Amino acid sequence: MPHRRAVLAGAAMAALAGPAAAQPAWPSRPIRIIVPFGLGGAADVAARFMAEPLSQALQVPVVIENRPGAGGTIGTDLAAKAPPDGHTLVALGNTAAVNETLQPQRGYVLLRDLTPVAPINIANNVLVVHPAVPARDLGEFLALLRREPGRWNYAHSGPGTPYHLAGEMLKHMAGVDMVAVSFRGSNEARTAVLAGQVPIMFDGIPTMIPQIEAGRVRGLATTALQRDPALPALPAVAEAVPGFEYPIWIGLMMPAATPRPIVARLHGEITRIMDGEAGRAAMARMGARPLVMSLSDYDAYIRRDIETLAGLVRSANLRAE
């Protein structure tokens, strides 16, 4: 009898182990990171940096798939509806947070249909003007906008993007008026500013430093509460407009039903990359800082940003374009 019970117990254990053993190993094929914006933007640059070390850690290719459009909602919706098998990530940030209010027809709910995986980085923007703008510094610029309301246009890379929201925040907090001109991506917006077609833009610091140094644009201020080390000669907007702050943060999410062990593994690998010397050095070259936090803190960070940006959308009476 003891022998028979042992045989039956072994058979039962084998039956239980069978389905688990049949589960495919993860990752079993290339992992894609959907970037819901065009080439060259903050999300694209962060995702492309992440692809190589993450591929080395997971021993599978990590490929970038740019799916721009509708303020980032097309690519984000694609990721939200992807199979939750651990092979699809999406790189997003402030724009996804503001779209929860600004884009009511987006087709998904961010923290219902996607789950946070890990943040990547955070960086500041710089306010620049074409040299033809008759303002040498931030004070003269704000005085110009107040003196000539509605005359001056600013370029941005689409509704809800950080370059758009920074402009709208400045209008709202400083009591000035500019006209927003939307482009299909940051490259198009930047090209229009460099050509003098649109005279004003908030843009990423690393992208604009060479243009400032070459005299193609004039840097006026940066968007942290304090001066940015990359452009220490420029004031923070907050020096003239108390409380003004608009960084760009980028992180990764994936379909909400993805198994938690996969999410935890990815969070651990990405955190290790961003918290290491190579990650910190790469971010410094980009003019950014690693953004490292636990899964629960990252979730709370996104929720706070959604709430903060919803307040801006409502108080500034913003509408999707």
Side-chain angles (χ1 to χ4, degrees):
M1 285 296 291
H3 175 72
R4 184 170 181 271
R5 283 197 298 268
V7 170
L8 291 174
M13 291 296 292
L16 289 172
Q23 295 296 315
W26 176 88
S28 60
R29 62 179 186 277
I31 290 173
R32 64 172 175 166
I33 301 178
I34 295 174
V35 177
F37 303 99
L39 296 170
D44 182 66
V45 171
R48 290 180 188 279
F49 161 76
M50 185 57 62
E52 182 178 352
L54 193 59
S55 174
Q56 292 174 355
L58 300 176
Q59 294 297 295
V60 294
V62 176
V63 297
I64 307 302
E65 184 176 323
N66 293 86
R67 299 296 290 264
T73 60
I74 290 175
T76 307
D77 186 55
L78 180 66
K81 293 177 171 57
D85 57 10
H87 293 89
T88 299
L89 292 147
V90 59
L92 39 70
N94 313 54
T95 303
V98 77
N99 280 344
E100 291 294 284
T101 306
L102 189 64
Q103 301 274 9
Q105 306 303 317
R106 64 196 175 280
Y108 61 88
V109 175
L110 191 64
L111 287 169
R112 181 196 69 193
D113 300 321
L114 291 160
T115 190
V117 175
I120 298 176
N121 64 22
I122 187 167
N124 298 316
N125 295 311
V126 59
L127 170 62
V128 300
V129 296
H130 188 269
V133 174
R136 305 300 304 179
D137 56 34
L138 179 61
E140 289 184 4
F141 176 70
L142 294 175
L144 176 67
L145 295 183
R146 293 184 179 114
R147 190 168 61 246
E148 300 176 350
R151 174 184 172 186
W152 296 94
N153 299 338
Y154 79 94
H156 66 82
S157 52
T161 59
Y163 309 140
H164 176 218
L165 269 293
E168 294 304 307
M169 181 178 282
L170 182 66
K171 289 166 57 176
H172 178 65
M173 294 183 67
V176 297
D177 189 19
M178 300 184 290
V179 178
V181 180
S182 180
F183 291 84
R184 288 183 295 179
S186 58
N187 281 338
E188 286 191 12
R190 193 174 302 116
T191 298
V193 173
L194 294 174
Q197 297 166 347
V198 183
I200 302 162
M201 185 178 180
F202 283 92
D203 199 358
I205 287 177
T207 306
M208 271 301 174
I209 282 178
Q211 310 301 337
I212 293 170
E213 291 175 342
R216 299 186 185 97
V217 294
R218 183 181 302 125
L220 298 183
T222 54
T223 63
L225 292 174
Q226 297 84 30
R227 297 192 178 205
D228 193 284
L231 290 169
L234 295 186
V237 175
E239 293 178 35
V241 184
F244 184 97
E245 181 182 23
Y246 207 99
I248 299 177
W249 66 265
I250 301 297
L252 294 169
M253 300 183 76
M254 63 197 318
T258 303
R260 298 308 294 173
I262 293 176
V263 175
R265 169 78 188 281
L266 283 166
H267 176 268
E269 296 291 355
I270 293 163
T271 297
R272 179 186 56 78
I273 292 165
M274 297 313 303
D275 206 25
E277 183 177 342
R280 290 193 296 269
M283 293 305 104
R285 289 193 297 271
M286 296 179 193
R289 305 183 305 279
L291 197 56
V292 175
M293 59 185 74
S294 69
L295 273 169
S296 61
D297 286 345
Y298 181 36
D299 182 277
Y301 185 89
I302 296 172
R303 292 180 190 277
R304 283 194 303 271
D305 209 39
I306 290 171
E307 183 177 349
T308 298
L309 294 175
L312 175 62
V313 168
R314 289 191 291 265
S315 61
N317 196 29
L318 300 182
R319 297 287 184 271
E321 298 175 13

